Amino acid sequence: MVKRALFALLLLLPAAFASAQQQPAFATNGNAVTIALPASVLQHAAVRKQLGSGLTTTFIVIARSRDRTAEGGARVEVRYDLWDEIYHVRRFEAGRRIDQQRIESLEKLEQWWRTPSRIISLNGQRIVLDVELRVLPFSGAEEEDARRWLSLPDRTTSLVDVLIGTTISAKPIVSFRWSAEVVRR
């Protein structure tokens, strides 16, 4: 009986892991490869905690062809306004304007999140990609503001300030990695 229950559990584990680690959807749009990020990223406990903090959460998509002949990416910034209870979102894609919106709920955020983003140019009929998504605890603008503040000439510079100023680059809260072969349709 115990062996049967253990066997059933072992059969269910891969399915549970696969659903927790959903794959993004890749497609082509003209000469560009797009990625629709899975909602499971927003549902990850560390990401959910950061999103609820009211601080900006930055998602950096880095795409490289396996043969290292092409690279690209996109950036998404999400900040939850605790007072108004809305999400401020911005999406930056190569060669495109910034998509900036206010989103009223987590459900609508997840829907917007799945909108494809251009990440890399497609020069041939197919490309094999390695893609990394890094989740950072603040935006590039906030990092620059902190660097500028730390370098003000009228501040009393301490060893701690110098150390913070030289190590301010954000460490990812969590990272995700995927590989895909994308064929032009």
Side-chain angles (χ1 to χ4, degrees):
M1 186 76 160
V2 172
K3 285 182 182 180
R4 241 185 254 182
L6 184 58
F7 181 72
L9 180 63
L10 289 175
L11 286 177
L12 292 174
L13 279 177
F17 182 75
S19 66
Q21 298 294 327
Q22 295 173 351
Q23 295 293 309
F26 294 92
T28 58
N29 181 359
N31 288 336
V33 174
T34 63
I35 185 172
L37 295 166
S40 61
V41 171
L42 294 178
Q43 296 161 356
H44 187 281
V47 174
R48 185 66 64 117
K49 180 179 177 185
Q50 177 65 26
L51 287 173
S53 72
L55 300 172
T56 301
T57 307
T58 301
F59 301 86
I60 306 289
V61 179
I62 302 165
R64 290 187 181 95
S65 63
R66 181 93 27 99
D67 63 6
R68 302 285 186 199
T69 60
E71 64 179 32
R75 184 174 84 223
V76 174
E77 295 178 353
V78 179
R79 185 178 61 80
Y80 183 65
D81 186 320
L82 298 168
W83 185 262
D84 292 333
E85 298 181 339
I86 60 167
Y87 294 92
H88 296 272
V89 298
R90 296 191 314 168
R91 183 188 330 256
F92 302 84
E93 301 175 23
R96 303 217 43 199
R97 63 179 176 75
I98 298 171
D99 175 22
Q100 187 168 335
Q101 296 184 33
R102 295 168 48 124
I103 298 176
E104 300 83 28
S105 68
L106 185 57
E107 293 77 26
K108 289 182 180 181
L109 174 64
E110 288 180 0
Q111 183 180 11
W112 178 85
W113 175 260
R114 291 187 298 265
T115 303
S117 297
R118 296 163 149 313
I119 56 168
I120 198 166
S121 294
L122 180 63
N123 296 324
Q125 283 301 108
R126 70 182 271 288
I127 190 169
V128 179
L129 293 176
D130 290 321
V131 177
E132 180 180 9
L133 174 65
R134 295 179 187 165
V135 183
L136 303 176
F138 53 81
S139 72
E142 290 167 336
E143 179 177 5
E144 186 56 36
D145 285 348
R147 284 184 193 279
R148 200 174 352 210
W149 182 80
L150 288 169
S151 67
L152 288 175
D154 60 345
R155 283 185 31 84
T156 303
T157 305
S158 70
L159 179 59
V160 174
D161 289 339
V162 171
L163 289 173
I164 292 171
T166 59
T167 60
I168 200 165
S169 293
K171 302 261 186 288
I173 296 168
V174 65
S175 295
F176 301 87
R177 289 184 173 78
W178 304 285
S179 294
E181 179 178 354
V182 182
V183 178
R184 187 187 309 254
R185 305 252 178 225

